[in-house]
Amino acid sequence: MATVNYYLKGALSDKNIRDLRKSEDGNKYLKEYENKPLQIVLKVSSGGKRNQAYTKRRIAPKYWDKSKQRYNPVRYRLNCADNNNWLNDLQYEVEKTIDDLEKQQSRRITQDDLRGIIERKSQNKPSKKSLKEVFDIFLKEHTTPGGNSLDALTIKKYEGFFKHLIKYSAEKNIGFDFYIFNEDFLVDFKEYLRVNVGHADST
């Protein structure tokens, strides 16, 4: 019987995480690790053989539910259901392909088979706009309460804010994408603007 699982490439074991939490330097490394997006890998065990392939999707360990092998809906709020449905559909396609290959061709699924399934699913995936693209659309389409377009000074302030956001994500070594926005980010980014940039609370 075939089994299909997901895991994060380069994920730390529970023991390693416990050991890191015992030291100050370990806690610092662990915080960086938990926010670094890792590749979601599909692993299949069938007939005593194992094959795996990259799903071409990444997620930070803090947003991953290792026991359920899915996005954690409590911590990951951006299209969590859609992402988990994508993983569910991929697993179904793989399991169905395994059955078809064994019944019709009397052979086991291969790594090339897995890559082909993932490639087809990726091509059907709607294109995702980058954070920069969405920001540009915001500047172009956003209006004041009176329905007027943003003036040049306001746009300049937004662009300055965005530059700080880019620099912050680079210095913190976290991916520049929508998943970074949560309560922890808000607290840390405000502190970064206050201490590193020198902004007052009013700014």
Side-chain angles (χ1 to χ4, degrees), residues 152-166:
L153 182 59
T154 300
I155 291 176
K156 186 176 181 179
K157 289 180 179 179
Y158 277 128
E159 289 175 338
F161 169 85
F162 198 75
K163 288 178 181 178
H164 289 313
L165 182 59
I166 294 174

Side-chain angles (χ1 to χ4, degrees), residues 14-23 26:
D14 291 339
K15 181 180 183 304
N16 286 338
I17 292 175
R18 287 195 298 270
D19 291 341
L20 286 170
R21 284 176 175 161
K22 295 178 182 179
S23 66

Side-chain angles (χ1 to χ4, degrees), residues 67-172:
S67 63
K68 295 182 179 179
Q69 300 176 18
R70 294 294 187 273
Y71 290 69
N72 188 333
V74 176
R75 307 197 71 179
Y76 192 91
R77 301 299 180 87
L78 180 66
N79 299 326
C80 184
D82 290 340
N83 285 302
N84 281 334
N85 285 337
W86 191 91
L87 293 177
N88 292 337
D89 290 344
L90 176 59
Q91 181 172 341
Y92 171 79
E93 289 294 332
V94 170
E95 291 172 343
K96 184 177 184 300
T97 301
I98 290 171
D99 288 341
D100 292 343
L101 290 175
E102 292 180 351
K103 291 177 181 178
Q104 299 175 16
Q105 302 182 29
S106 300
R107 72 175 180 86
R108 306 291 183 184
I109 195 168
T110 65
Q111 191 173 49
D112 286 339
D113 292 325
L114 293 179
R115 289 171 177 167
I117 296 170
I118 292 171
E119 187 64 30
R120 288 192 296 273
K121 281 201 65 62
S122 297
Q123 289 174 352
N124 292 332
K125 181 181 67 174
S127 60
K128 174 187 173 184
K129 288 184 172 62
S130 68
L131 191 55
K132 179 63 168 63
E133 288 173 322
V134 173
F135 176 73
D136 289 340
I137 292 173
F138 166 78
L139 291 183
K140 183 178 180 180
E141 298 183 355
H142 187 62
T143 59
T144 66
N148 299 315
S149 300
L150 300 176
D151 59 40
L153 182 59
T154 300
I155 291 176
K156 186 176 181 179
K157 289 180 179 179
Y158 277 128
E159 289 175 338
F161 169 85
F162 198 75
K163 288 178 181 178
H164 289 313
L165 182 59
I166 294 174
K167 189 174 181 181
Y168 165 84
S169 65
E171 292 184 8
K172 296 291 183 176

Side-chain angles (χ1 to χ4, degrees), residues 33-48:
Y33 158 78
E34 288 179 339
N35 287 283
K36 183 179 180 180
L38 302 179
Q39 179 76 240
I40 301 176
V41 180
L42 171 73
K43 183 170 72 173
V44 176
S45 299
S46 177

